[in-house]
Amino acid sequence: MANQMKKKINVKQSNELTEAAYHLSLKAKRVLWLCLMQTYFSDDNDDASPVFNVAVSDYEDIFNISRNQASRDVKEGVIELSRSSILFYPKTGRNDIRALPWLAEAGGRSSKGLWEIEFNPRVMPYLYVLGNQFTTYSLRDCGSLKNPRTVRLYESLCQFRSTGIWKTSHEWLADRFMLPESQRSNSAELKRSFLEPALRQINDKTPLHVTYQADNNGKMIFNILPKSGV
């Protein structure tokens, strides 16, 4: 995978995964990215394997950190994924919410700097996307974002780049991003301690320029534009 990544460091993420509810640390999110990158390069989603190989050397190269730090980050990220669950909100079927553990199993070979990660088979349909229900973005564009919830906001904004407008609510953000109670219960605090600093980072470090406002019904409207010359 290393040669492919040198050419293009892209992630393809299903809209359902973008809209799911979970909170991962930056380390775990980066490990997930390394797996999603492999689905980007896959041509056969019907026989997709739930097993992904994550190399410490890839993490080191992409995120520009030392080998020792990369080794610690990957280990901690994998262990966090193994202990975490994700909530999906299906639009069809008997249930309108599904809680699933991310992984079935994970194993590491320290001497080789390699981890083998097996995802829960029920999560697999959300990792490999069908049709046009996905968003593609580059890790070069968002790799410098350090806050995991800022990363998730960026992913959500990327989903609406083509229309340039994303309308959502305080409640949706609080539920999907699993925000702390201080931001969940107070819209002013949400804006002060999450939205405004997150958008400053996104506007400074990514190809997007985003503004937002609230409408008369309290909905949040984000205006999404590409930066000039990007």
Side-chain angles (χ1 to χ4, degrees), residues 9-144:
I9 307 179
N10 278 358
V11 168
K12 180 170 64 174
Q13 182 164 293
S14 71
N15 292 347
E16 289 171 306
L17 184 57
T18 300
E19 296 170 1
Y22 67 90
H23 178 65
L24 296 175
S25 71
L26 189 60
K27 298 169 187 177
K29 182 65 177 175
R30 285 174 168 178
V31 170
L32 179 61
W33 274 337
L34 293 182
C35 297
L36 290 174
M37 285 167 56
Q38 295 172 54
T39 71
Y40 181 87
F41 293 113
S42 174
D43 294 324
D44 189 358
N45 295 347
D46 292 334
D47 298 319
S49 170
V51 179
F52 294 80
N53 291 314
V54 173
V56 170
S57 59
D58 290 339
Y59 191 105
E60 174 188 5
D61 291 343
I62 292 171
F63 302 113
N64 193 29
I65 60 175
S66 71
R67 176 72 175 207
N68 287 340
Q69 185 64 55
S71 182
R72 290 192 295 269
D73 282 5
V74 172
K75 179 180 179 180
E76 292 174 15
V78 171
I79 291 173
E80 182 182 338
L81 274 172
S82 73
R83 295 172 175 171
S84 301
S85 296
I86 181 170
L87 302 180
F88 291 102
Y89 297 82
K91 294 180 173 62
T92 59
R94 183 176 60 182
N95 300 315
D96 57 10
I97 184 170
R98 300 182 71 201
L100 300 171
W102 282 100
L103 302 186
E105 186 178 354
R109 284 175 277 172
S110 300
S111 62
K112 294 184 177 294
L114 189 67
W115 281 84
E116 190 174 86
I117 300 174
E118 182 177 350
F119 279 85
N120 176 357
R122 294 181 182 232
V123 172
M124 287 298 291
Y126 302 99
L127 299 183
Y128 282 90
V129 298
L130 301 175
N132 60 355
Q133 302 301 308
F134 65 89
T135 301
T136 300
Y137 56 92
S138 169
L139 291 192
R140 295 191 187 280
D141 294 341
C142 65
S144 59

Side-chain angles (χ1 to χ4, degrees), residues 116-175:
E116 190 174 86
I117 300 174
E118 182 177 350
F119 279 85
N120 176 357
R122 294 181 182 232
V123 172
M124 287 298 291
Y126 302 99
L127 299 183
Y128 282 90
V129 298
L130 301 175
N132 60 355
Q133 302 301 308
F134 65 89
T135 301
T136 300
Y137 56 92
S138 169
L139 291 192
R140 295 191 187 280
D141 294 341
C142 65
S144 59
L145 299 175
K146 302 302 183 185
N147 183 292
R149 288 191 172 100
T150 300
V151 169
R152 291 216 60 206
L153 180 61
Y154 179 74
E155 292 171 336
S156 294
L157 292 165
C158 284
Q159 187 179 345
F160 296 92
R161 280 177 303 190
S162 61
T163 61
I165 296 177
W166 176 34
K167 181 181 288 190
T168 188
S169 66
H170 181 163
E171 292 75 15
W172 192 96
L173 289 173
D175 288 343

